[in-house]
Amino acid sequence: MTTLAPQTVALQPPAHIAIIMDGNGRWAAGHGLPRVAGHQRGAEAVRRTVRGCVELGVEYLTLYAFSSENWKRPANEVSDLMSLLRLYLRRELRELSSNGVRLHVIGERDRLDDDIKKLIVEAEETTRHNDRLHMTVALNYGGRREITAAVRHIAHEVAAGRLDPEQISEETIEDSLATVGIPDPDMIIRTSGERRLSNFLLWQSAYAEFVFIPTLWPDFGREDLEAAIEEFHRRERRYGGRVG
Ligand code: FPP
């Protein structure tokens, strides 16, 4: 177990970084290995990234671990991903706790195995007093489903007479999303050269800076994180120039 000290860096990181971790399969193929090896190396990249964010002083990190569409993958790959998640929740809990990481999981839990649901509740409970880094894992998550669930919830409130439709505001919707209490991401990174949002944080990404990098997720390291932060600052400076 490693306890991390804050590091002095040149650039103040954005408060909330969200990442679409892509390229595990291509990494494995490129190394002549089965896909599961790419996911295993991907889980190590998650560890490095969490450490990097803690050290750099990022306040919120959101990771897209499994989308609601990922169930369409072959059953053995789905099962490998779930096993990795299980392992991560079991092995990392102590380190997350001791480094002040608070873990949240967003997404629909009903389809997950009971033991995973239990591990999630335990991890959320154990880390609930931490506030150095809020780490959110999106698991069986889809942005459209999240918005649909929010609309359904609001419609129930209206039908029950607890909410006047005229009073529905952006805040009403935000308060009904899975990310309630978590600020919108300032920057969304997608690895592997793909340039899509793939149903991730559709509402929350309204003002996010998108940073697409060619690195495959298993190779993602501290330099990539710092380079993305530098890119974020270059864009901020341009924006300031235009309005100033
Ligand atoms: C995309 O690569 C990655 C995923 C679908 C899963 C991400 C999961 C992990 C990094 C491991 C476990 C996560 C945690 C939080 C411990 P891909 O398989 O779509 O790659 P490809 O596009 O090259 O085929």
Side-chain angles (χ1 to χ4, degrees):
M1 192 175 73
T2 333
T3 303
L4 305 166
Q7 293 181 0
T8 317
V9 281
L11 290 173
Q12 176 73 19
H16 185 173
I17 298 178
I19 308 182
I20 302 174
M21 308 181 286
D22 197 7
N24 294 353
R26 274 162 285 168
W27 183 94
H31 289 77
L33 294 168
R35 288 181 68 82
V36 64
H39 295 316
Q40 282 161 349
R41 294 294 285 260
E44 286 168 29
V46 168
R47 258 172 232 128
R48 284 197 297 277
T49 304
V50 172
R51 285 183 186 171
C53 285
V54 168
E55 288 172 350
L56 294 171
V58 174
E59 292 171 57
Y60 294 86
L61 170 69
T62 301
L63 300 173
Y64 204 6
F66 193 90
S67 76
S68 40
E69 289 76 35
N70 283 153
W71 296 106
K72 294 184 200 136
R73 294 190 177 209
N76 64 331
E77 186 174 351
V78 169
S79 139
D80 287 340
L81 281 165
M82 291 298 156
S83 300
L84 268 173
L85 205 80
R86 232 179 229 114
L87 207 67
Y88 184 86
L89 289 168
R90 287 208 186 104
R91 286 205 185 146
E92 298 297 310
L93 188 55
R94 272 185 60 205
E95 178 160 337
L96 294 176
S97 283
S98 66
N99 282 310
V101 180
R102 178 167 183 182
L103 189 87
H104 310 262
V105 174
I106 56 168
E108 294 172 13
R109 295 191 193 182
D110 48 353
R111 228 178 136 174
L112 304 176
D113 286 348
D114 285 344
D115 70 314
I116 295 190
K117 285 186 214 160
K118 238 176 111 185
L119 285 168
I120 292 171
V121 171
E122 191 189 325
E124 289 182 331
E125 266 298 298
T126 310
T127 61
R128 73 180 194 284
H129 296 300
N130 294 343
D131 69 353
R132 190 165 168 196
L133 172 68
H134 288 253
M135 172 186 181
T136 302
V137 176
L139 189 61
N140 191 20
Y141 171 88
R144 287 187 175 182
R145 282 186 186 213
E146 181 192 32
I147 293 170
T148 306
V151 170
R152 192 180 304 116
H153 168 75
I154 292 168
H156 278 302
E157 291 298 294
V158 170
R162 289 190 290 267
L163 181 64
D164 171 0
E166 293 307 317
Q167 301 299 311
I168 296 173
S169 63
E170 292 189 7
E171 284 70 32
T172 316
I173 296 171
E174 275 157 15
D175 289 348
S176 306
L177 295 173
T179 49
V180 58
I182 301 172
D184 288 345
D186 301 291
M187 168 167 73
I188 298 181
I189 301 172
R190 183 168 188 152
T191 57
S192 89
E194 303 292 337
R195 293 164 175 248
R196 290 186 298 281
L197 195 49
S198 298
N199 208 11
F200 187 45
L201 302 179
L202 294 182
W203 172 279
Q204 300 86 340
S205 61
Y207 297 101
E209 290 289 343
F210 289 90
V211 175
F212 299 110
I213 64 168
T215 309
L216 301 175
W217 176 251
D219 290 328
F220 189 87
R222 180 62 175 259
E223 317 78 63
D224 297 293
L225 183 61
E226 290 188 18
I229 294 172
E230 280 167 23
E231 172 63 20
F232 175 80
H233 278 274
R234 275 194 291 277
R235 294 190 196 175
E236 282 250 299
R237 278 201 292 271
R238 279 212 301 276
Y239 180 75
R242 277 204 302 273
V243 294

